[in-house]
Amino acid sequence: MRTEVNTAERGARRAATSPAMTKLARLGYAIKGVVYVVIGVLALLLATGHGGSVTDQTGALKAIYGSPLGEGFGRFLMVVITIGLFAFALWSLIQAIFDTEGKGRKAKGIIARLGYAAVGVTYGLLGYAAYQIAATGNSSKNSTSSTQNWTALLLKQPAGVALVVIVGIAVLVIAVVMFVKAYKASFQKYLNLSTLGAQARKAVIRVGRIGYAAIGVVFTIIGIFLIVAAVKNNPQDAKGLDSALVALVQQPFGPWLLGLVALGLIAYGVYSFVEARYRRLGWSR
């Protein structure tokens, strides 16, 4: 019986990291890059006074759907993006379940794998939003309304304030992890850049550092406002990505701050394109 279970598990692992699945995963990384580049470009246009807007992932999807080439082309793009987002969500869950990157079963590894699972759920929901846009042309949710909804739900629970504070602290910890990745450039261990020249490798690392630093800034803002929402017992104080960018604009030198973070989000999108081509997928053992 044990042998049969092991055989079935090995078969599941092979299927999960098959060439077809890794191709879908690469599509997912590329689509993630498209979404963040659009968010960054729209924010940069606003920061420089050329139109644009502060938006989140769902807003970026809506912008892509409204392609100047017409509704039909926008819907086609949205179908491709839906497939890519669901593929990235599935790959993230595979990373969590099968530990494709060898994180292990100790506390640190389990936390990392839970992080992959959370990413999988997040992009699954974003994929569903893309499906809604492709089917109906609209999606009612954005990151701030979703954040406020689940914050309100948590605050209604026993020890709800403490729960939201814990979530806010967890988000701040993620921000610190992003900053550490940016500083140490530890993300490069997941890339196979052997075919690139020295200058190209340096450019990839620089882009990755800028991108992760920008994500760290956004998570810092979101985490702080979650704690504020908990302390005030007011879910309306919670913010998603779009409202976090608005908060930047409202600070002294706001357009400059928004512009820098916007460039960072574009860099993160470009780095996702690099991952689509050069990330090591499969088993890291």
Side-chain angles (χ1 to χ4, degrees):
M1 183 65 177
R2 181 64 180 174
T3 302
E4 292 176 357
V5 170
N6 289 339
T7 301
E9 183 179 352
R10 285 195 295 270
R13 289 172 181 269
R14 283 195 298 270
T17 55
S18 66
M21 187 62 242
T22 53
K23 286 179 181 178
L24 279 174
R26 294 191 187 282
L27 172 64
Y29 280 107
I31 294 301
K32 177 164 72 88
V34 170
V35 171
Y36 274 97
V37 166
V38 171
I39 294 171
V41 168
L42 290 174
L44 184 62
L45 289 173
L46 178 64
T48 56
H50 292 85
S53 62
V54 287
T55 189
D56 58 2
Q57 293 91 335
T58 304
L61 296 178
K62 291 178 181 177
I64 294 169
Y65 179 80
S67 165
L69 296 179
E71 182 178 329
F73 186 68
R75 180 169 282 111
F76 168 75
L77 289 177
M78 203 51 52
V79 169
V80 175
I81 287 171
T82 299
I83 294 170
L85 291 173
F86 278 133
F88 187 75
L90 178 59
W91 178 251
S92 297
L93 293 175
I94 288 171
Q95 288 177 305
I97 295 168
F98 295 106
D99 193 17
T100 60
E101 295 184 348
K103 298 296 183 180
R105 297 183 178 180
K106 294 183 179 179
K108 185 177 179 180
I110 290 173
I111 291 172
R113 291 167 68 180
L114 287 173
Y116 288 133
V119 169
V121 171
T122 299
Y123 276 89
L125 293 173
L126 187 60
Y128 180 69
Y131 164 76
Q132 285 184 311
I133 294 171
T136 67
N138 193 29
S139 176
S140 59
K141 295 292 185 181
N142 59 41
S143 62
T144 292
S145 64
S146 297
T147 301
Q148 290 174 349
N149 287 342
W150 64 254
T151 300
L153 181 63
L154 284 179
L155 286 173
K156 292 177 182 177
Q157 308 307 310
V161 170
L163 288 173
V164 176
V165 168
I166 290 170
V167 173
I169 292 172
V171 173
L172 290 177
V173 169
I174 293 172
V176 171
V177 170
M178 297 298 104
F179 288 132
V180 171
K181 280 187 176 184
Y183 177 72
K184 293 185 176 181
S186 56
F187 52 83
Q188 63 184 301
K189 67 183 178 182
Y190 299 112
L191 303 175
N192 181 8
L193 303 177
S194 59
T195 59
L196 297 181
Q199 292 302 316
R201 288 197 295 273
K202 287 181 181 178
V204 166
I205 293 170
R206 189 176 299 114
V207 166
R209 278 180 158 158
I210 295 171
Y212 274 109
I215 297 296
V217 170
V218 171
F219 272 103
T220 298
I221 296 170
I222 293 172
I224 289 172
F225 277 104
L226 278 172
I227 294 173
V228 170
V231 172
K232 292 185 176 181
N233 200 19
N234 182 7
Q236 297 303 311
D237 284 322
K239 297 186 183 298
L241 173 57
D242 48 352
S243 294
L245 295 178
V246 170
L248 279 175
V249 177
Q250 295 171 343
Q251 304 308 308
F253 306 103
W256 287 96
L257 293 174
L258 178 62
L260 289 173
V261 172
L263 288 172
L265 293 174
I266 294 171
Y268 185 72
V270 172
Y271 176 73
S272 294
F273 296 148
V274 173
E275 287 187 297
R277 173 63 179 85
Y278 295 105
R279 188 176 175 96
R280 292 187 174 95
L281 301 178
W283 298 107
S284 299
R285 295 177 186 265

